[in-house]
Structures are given as C-alpha cells and as structure tokens.
Amino acid sequence: MTSIDLNADLGEGFGRWRLTDDEGLLSVVTSANVACGFHAGDPATMRRVCESAAERGVRVGAQVSYRDLAGFGRRAMDVPPGELAAEVAYQIGALEVFARAAGTRVAYVKPHGALYNRVVRDEEQAAAVVDGVVLAGGTLPVLGLPGSRVLELAGRAGLPVVTEAFADRAYTDEGTLVPRGQEGAVVADPDAVVARSVRLAVSGTVTARSGARVGVHARSLCVHGDTPGAVELARRVRERLEASGVRVEAFA
C-alpha cells in the first residue's frame, strides 16, 4: 500500500498573537513543523505545541528559519555560513528542550520560507543548514524539496533525507516552487488542492503552472497551517488520501 506523511507548519504565533489552529491541525496531521522562534513562535507556544503533539502521537519537527520575525522568515537574507549553522543548531536545541519535557523528541528538521527556497540551489547556505543539524547532535532527518542541494549535502553528511511536496503551491517545469510574490503561486481552490494531493501521493506527479506534468516523488505532503480554512482542508486531504488507498503515516 502507498503511504505518505502529512505535515503542517504549527506554532506560528508569539505572545497573544496566533496564526495557526494548532489543536485542530494536530488532530489531522502526522508530523508537526514547529516554529522555533526565529520566524514565529516563542517558548510558551513551542512548549504547548510539543505537549499537544506528544499527546496525539504526532511527530515533532524543528522548522528552522532565518532570524526574521518581522518578515515571517520569507525575506531573502545573506547570513554568514558559520552564523547560520549556529542559528540552526540553536533553534533545534531550543525545541528539543520542550519536546523532551513533553515526553517526545525532535524527529526531523525542515527549513522555512526564504531559507527553504534558498537551500534548493545555494550550496553555501545549504551546507550551513546541514552543519547546523550536525552541530545539534544526532542524525536528524532533513525534510526538503526533491533534488535540492540541502538534501544532497545532508545525504553526504550521513543524515537521512525526506522529500516533500506541496499540494497548495504552484510548481515550475523544473519541479521547484513558484515564488510567493508571483501571481498564482498559491493554489486557492480547495478541490484542486485535494485532487493534487492524491495525484502526488499515488502517481508522484503534479501539474506545473505551465500545464506540464512534472514528476515530484515525495514521502511527505505539506498543508500550510496559515491557509484560510486550513484544518478543514487538511481533513479533506487526509480523508481523500485514505479513500484512495493511501496510508497516512509519519515518516520518522
């Protein structure tokens, strides 16, 4: 039976402000990409999400980012490699404290936003992310876009690599994500997102913005937690996947 992980970005708030419906999404997904304070999140939020994830058996992942709270981690930045590696390790370590206190562990690492897109092609920044994961200790899996430099370098460093797809993001003919600043970068039609999810899981393909069929072989499928109606959409995606004979389970 075909299987796929269902992940979502959680804990994306700080102080009194909350962006994601963490409790609702944790009732649907199998892996939680938890913001570690650099693009969103704060200690209390990280602790709360880790406790809720542990109670539901959802895997906890560190969603590491550039230090860009005001820009939600989606602004391009040039961070020296040594500094970036230290900041990645710092974020993983911070989340690990709360994960352990909740009776679980950080199970994987996923870059966020501008960093995620940068390490698809940028050798130096990708190497810094890998160095940060290694610096944090252990051999945590790295979640990223198929064919990305960060996954290649992570594999060379002996880290497990996990490929990811996005049902609600537009793709280029090269299999990369259309930048968010471009028109049509986000797929807004819930029916289209659900249909694309099944196609990605079953056939490993997605229709690019140009209309071309592109191969995207992924072990994990992301549903964005900041999308309006994210919980209901995630629930529909999971129900349709399971109805199509796809087993939804965590990769870690």
Side-chain angles (χ1 to χ4, degrees):
M1 179 184 289
T2 300
S3 66
I4 198 163
D5 172 62
L6 194 60
N7 77 74
D9 303 342
L10 301 179
E12 291 185 326
F14 54 89
R16 297 178 62 183
W17 177 70
R18 291 190 183 185
L19 177 63
T20 50
D21 182 351
D22 297 330
E23 294 301 316
L25 286 166
L26 284 169
S27 69
V28 182
V29 301
T30 48
S31 295
N33 317 315
V34 184
C36 299
F38 273 39
H39 76 281
D42 59 26
T45 301
M46 293 161 68
R47 179 181 183 183
R48 173 177 52 78
V49 174
C50 284
E51 290 174 346
S52 295
E55 289 173 1
R56 293 167 171 79
V58 175
R59 301 297 186 270
V60 171
Q63 188 167 42
V64 298
S65 170
Y66 286 128
R67 189 190 294 268
D68 181 28
L69 194 61
F72 198 61
R74 288 179 175 165
R75 297 185 292 191
M77 303 183 76
D78 291 310
V79 180
E83 183 178 335
L84 180 57
E87 291 186 344
V88 167
Y90 177 91
Q91 292 175 79
I92 296 169
L95 186 64
E96 177 70 3
V97 168
F98 298 115
R100 286 192 181 191
T104 185
R105 299 289 298 272
V106 172
Y108 63 94
V109 177
K110 175 184 173 178
H112 165 81
L115 182 59
Y116 186 98
N117 292 319
R118 182 75 171 268
V119 298
V120 170
R121 293 194 176 96
D122 190 309
E123 177 103 9
E124 186 177 67
Q125 296 283 280
V129 169
V130 172
D131 288 346
V133 177
V134 173
L135 181 62
T139 56
L140 290 174
V142 177
L143 183 62
L145 206 66
S148 62
R149 297 298 293 152
V150 71
L151 292 191
E152 180 181 346
L153 295 176
R156 288 186 195 175
L159 303 174
V161 297
V162 183
T163 52
E164 179 182 36
F166 298 82
D168 59 355
R169 290 294 310 278
Y171 278 80
T172 68
D173 289 357
E174 292 74 36
T176 58
L177 300 179
V178 174
R180 279 186 175 267
Q182 296 185 18
E183 184 177 354
V186 178
V187 180
D189 180 4
D191 292 335
V193 172
V194 172
R196 285 160 64 91
S197 299
V198 175
R199 189 178 305 120
L200 281 162
V202 174
S203 67
T205 63
V206 68
T207 301
R209 188 171 58 171
S210 68
R213 185 66 62 88
V214 178
V216 180
H217 299 284
R219 177 66 186 86
S220 186
L221 182 66
C222 179
V223 288
H224 281 99
D226 59 347
T227 300
V231 175
E232 180 57 28
L233 180 59
R235 186 171 290 112
R236 285 187 59 192
V237 166
R238 178 160 187 164
E239 289 174 351
R240 183 68 64 83
L241 286 170
E242 292 175 336
S244 300
V246 178
R247 184 172 60 248
V248 180
E249 62 180 5
F251 63 82

